[in-house]
Structures are given as structure tokens and as C-alpha cells.
Amino acid sequence: YLEGSDQHRGWFQSSLLTSVGTHGRAPYKAVLTHGFVVDGKGEKMSKSKGNVVSPDEVIKQYGAEVLRLWVSSENYQEDVRISPDILKRLSEAYRKIRNTWRFMLGTLSDFDPAKDTVPYAQLEEIDKWALCRFAELVKRVTKAYGDYEFHAIYHSVTNFCITDMSAVYLDVLKDRLYCSASGDPLRKTAQTTLNIILRGLLTLLSPILSFTSDEAWQFLPGEKEDSVHLASFPEVKPEYENTEIDRTWDVLLALRNRVLKQLETARANKEIGNALEAAVALALPRALYNFLDPYKDGLADIFIVSQLALSARENPEADLIKCVDATDITIGRSEGEKCQRCWKYYTSGEPEVCPRCAAALV
């Protein structure tokens, strides 16, 4: 039974009594009740107040996808609020989800899953981190569907697309995807990961963003079902649930956030323009310096700067997150020439392009 909360003493009750009296059992297997739709201030909608929001008007202005996304975003166990401001925020969330999918599709334009897929063991650690985060999302969303907690689906997927994907993974990946040679193994590992995640995202949101997910599905490379609505939800492979990598990247991303804040301050003070103009020096507590040693060659790419220097200083602190807070960060300007292709600064190589780009252009 699906009805409003006013039926707890109405239809739910009367049908229950009737069914028990005549058949000795409840008439329903499950009951789902919901609150009423109210305006943004929580007041009942009324034509005289002029606060009625018509579904037809919403569809004309934003499209049916945004209306469905609004339905999924609200906790129906309480009264459900709707207003022009709420719909505007939802349309922004929809745009961010759609743009994330669009970017991922663009990076897969030359990817053939049958030939180019890289085994999990050969993926870069950041790719494994992304798959770990994706595995957590799949489990959360699948459970939320089963529990009818649709608002949890909306918040989980939106946070994943905006925070894990756009703000971290895709941001770090852009250089690898745009500037590496087309057949570079590092580029293929990134495409392999993006293909897995995008296919999963489209199926997970297909019950809500029905048209958008199916349209994006048609552009996915490789063999697939004719429609996303014929595809199964993604399965979480055991190797994706790599809690050790997740803990490691908690530390790396905490340090990245501190560096990004310092870069933003340097930009605001006109000390640098683009982040790639920056040379970053980190004075790290000993425990964190030792922890970062295996990652030192790739940290500049994670922070999206051209040059990075690490030094250790004695500090008794052993907790790595506290070590991040105790790290001294200095921002300077990069030395050398600006590569005209990737915009990174380099001190040796061909005129106008860095050694990596020179090799890619051969």
C-alpha cells in the first residue's frame, strides 16, 4: 500500500480490520506512507496564497528529469517541500551530474573495452582508490533502493560525482588523459577505470534520470545492452573493496586539501596565476615524510603543480592526519620554461615542450 500519512487511521486501518475479519491476514505485504507536498516554508499549498507549484510548469521550465530528481531528493517520510529555489538547486545538481557523465564519455571516445581494458592489478593506485569509492557507492545505493530510501540515493550519487569524481579523481586525471600519448599505459588505466564507473553510474541512476542515463548509455564504447534499462546494476568485485588504499588516500587527500588552500591564497595575493605556475615545498613531520616516500614522484600531479620538494623535520607526532596539520607549506614560483602543450614548467628538454609532451608528439 502506498498512501499519505493521513491514512494511518483511514484506508490502512479499515482495510486491515476488514481483511483480518474475513481472511485472517493483513491485506498488504508492505505499507509505505509519505508526507504531503508543501511550499518552501512548510506551509500547505493553496491557490489563494499563490504558493502552488504545478508539475506541468516545472517540466516546462526544467524538464521531467529535474522533477524526478526532486522527488528522489526529498525524505518522503516527512512533509515534502518544493519551491522555485529548491528546484533551482536541483537543476544545478542535475547539471553537475550530467556534466560529469559528459566529461567521462568524452575521455572514452577512443577507448575499446575489448582491446584496451587493463587488469585491476595493473591499475594506478588512484584508479584503485576511485574504484574503492565506487564500490562503496554501489553498496549504499543498492541498499537504499531496497529500503525505499531514495533521498539517500540522490545525496550519495551527487556527492560521489561532485566530490570524489569532479573535485579529485577527474581533476587529477585531466593531465594524464589530455597530454599523454593515446596509447600510453597510464592513459589506458584511467580509461579502464572511467569505463567501469560510468557504466555503473548510468545503471544506478537509470530509475531516476531515465532519459539522461539512456541517452548517455548509447554513447558508451564497446558491447552493451540496447538500453540502460535492460542492463543490470553493477556488481562489486572483491578487489575493489580495498580499505587499505582508502585509508592511505584519506591522508593524501587531507594533505592535498591543505596544499590547495595555500595555492588559493597565493593566487588571491597575485603570487601565482595558474596552479601549474607554483613550486610547492613541504616540511613534513618525520612519520608523514616516511609515509609519503613511495608517492613522492607522483605528488606534484596529485596537487596539480609543476614542481614539488619534500623535506623531513623531527616531530614526535605519529598520527598521520595530525602530521598533515603540522606540515609547513611554502608556495613559490616554478623554475624553467612553460610547456606550450601541458602548461607544466620544465627545466630540461625540447624548446616549447617538456620531455613528456615531446615523446607524445612523435
Side-chain angles (χ1 to χ4, degrees):
Y1 278 33
L2 171 64
E3 254 296 355
S5 55
D6 60 328
Q7 294 303 320
H8 286 155
R9 291 177 293 175
W11 183 38
F12 294 146
Q13 181 77 345
S14 60
S15 57
L16 175 63
L17 293 173
T18 303
S19 181
V20 170
T22 56
H23 299 286
R25 60 179 177 83
Y28 35 69
K29 294 180 180 178
V31 173
L32 191 149
T33 64
H34 58 79
F36 292 91
V37 179
V38 296
D39 70 9
K41 297 178 181 178
E43 297 179 359
K44 182 179 178 181
M45 290 192 181
S46 169
K47 289 183 179 179
S48 61
K49 291 182 179 179
N51 63 347
V52 174
V53 178
S54 166
D56 286 340
E57 292 301 317
V58 175
I59 292 173
K60 287 178 184 177
Q61 183 173 358
Y62 296 107
E65 297 285 73
V66 171
L67 187 61
R68 275 194 292 272
L69 193 63
W70 165 74
V71 171
S72 73
S73 71
E74 296 290 333
N75 182 4
Y76 60 79
Q77 297 175 25
E78 305 168 352
D79 284 345
V80 179
R81 299 189 180 207
I82 187 170
S83 70
D85 287 341
I86 292 172
L87 289 169
K88 186 176 181 180
R89 288 198 299 271
L90 263 295
S91 69
E92 275 294 304
Y94 167 75
R95 183 181 62 81
K96 288 176 181 177
I97 293 171
R98 185 179 183 277
N99 284 348
T100 300
W101 292 356
R102 183 180 179 184
F103 174 85
M104 295 169 79
L105 275 176
T107 65
L108 295 172
S109 59
D110 62 343
F111 181 73
D112 182 352
K115 296 189 305 182
D116 299 329
T117 297
V118 177
Y120 177 83
Q122 297 176 23
L123 297 179
E124 293 294 297
E125 190 167 296
I126 191 173
D127 302 323
K128 294 178 180 179
W129 170 81
L131 288 174
C132 179
R133 302 295 294 170
F134 175 64
E136 293 175 7
L137 176 74
V138 172
K139 291 170 70 174
R140 257 195 326 271
V141 168
T142 304
K143 183 178 185 301
Y145 272 119
D147 295 338
Y148 304 107
E149 293 182 351
F150 305 117
H151 63 290
I153 299 168
Y154 163 78
H155 290 294
S156 296
V157 172
T158 303
N159 185 65
F160 178 79
C161 286
I162 295 172
T163 304
D164 293 333
M165 289 289 100
S166 295
V168 179
Y169 187 58
L170 301 182
D171 200 28
V172 173
L173 241 59
K174 286 176 183 176
D175 179 72
R176 206 200 307 180
L177 291 166
Y178 291 163
C179 299
S180 299
S182 59
D184 192 310
L186 288 177
R187 191 166 183 274
K188 295 304 180 188
T189 61
Q191 289 178 310
T192 296
T193 308
L194 290 172
N195 185 54
I196 293 169
I197 292 175
L198 181 56
R199 283 173 178 262
L201 283 174
L202 296 182
T203 54
L204 286 175
L205 268 194
S206 60
I208 298 172
L209 298 183
S210 310
F211 294 105
T212 306
S213 57
D214 199 44
E215 181 184 7
W217 184 264
Q218 305 310 315
F219 292 94
L220 274 178
E223 293 185 4
K224 56 183 180 289
E225 292 81 357
D226 291 337
S227 168
V228 70
H229 303 296
L230 299 175
S232 301
F233 273 12
E235 295 182 5
V236 175
K237 294 185 178 181
E239 59 264 34
Y240 293 174
E241 300 182 87
N242 195 325
T243 54
E244 183 177 345
I245 282 181
D246 203 26
R247 287 194 296 268
T248 297
W249 277 81
D250 282 345
V251 177
L252 290 173
L253 293 178
L255 183 58
R256 181 178 188 264
N257 288 338
R258 280 211 62 207
V259 171
L260 293 184
K261 288 179 181 177
Q262 293 289 92
L263 289 171
E264 191 59 41
T265 301
R267 243 192 316 265
N269 294 335
K270 309 296 185 183
E271 296 170 13
I272 59 169
N274 186 286
L276 290 174
E277 294 179 11
V280 177
L282 302 179
L284 305 154
R286 175 63 65 179
L288 184 56
Y289 179 85
N290 294 339
F291 172 82
L292 291 176
D293 189 62
Y295 303 94
K296 59 185 178 183
D297 293 335
L299 282 178
D301 290 333
I302 294 172
F303 301 154
I304 316 181
V305 296
S306 290
Q307 295 162 6
L308 180 73
L310 305 181
S311 62
R313 57 187 179 81
E314 295 309 317
N315 186 305
E317 182 60 64
D319 183 279
L320 293 176
I321 294 297
K322 291 182 179 178
C323 285
V324 168
D325 294 334
T327 296
D328 292 329
I329 303 172
T330 304
I331 307 293
R333 291 189 67 88
S334 295
E335 298 177 352
E337 300 295 323
K338 178 181 178 180
C339 175
Q340 298 304 305
R341 185 170 181 269
C342 69
W343 292 10
K344 288 183 177 180
Y345 283 73
Y346 65 102
T347 54
S348 63
E350 301 292 330
E352 297 189 350
V353 292
C354 66
R356 188 269 304 263
C357 287
L361 292 170
V362 172

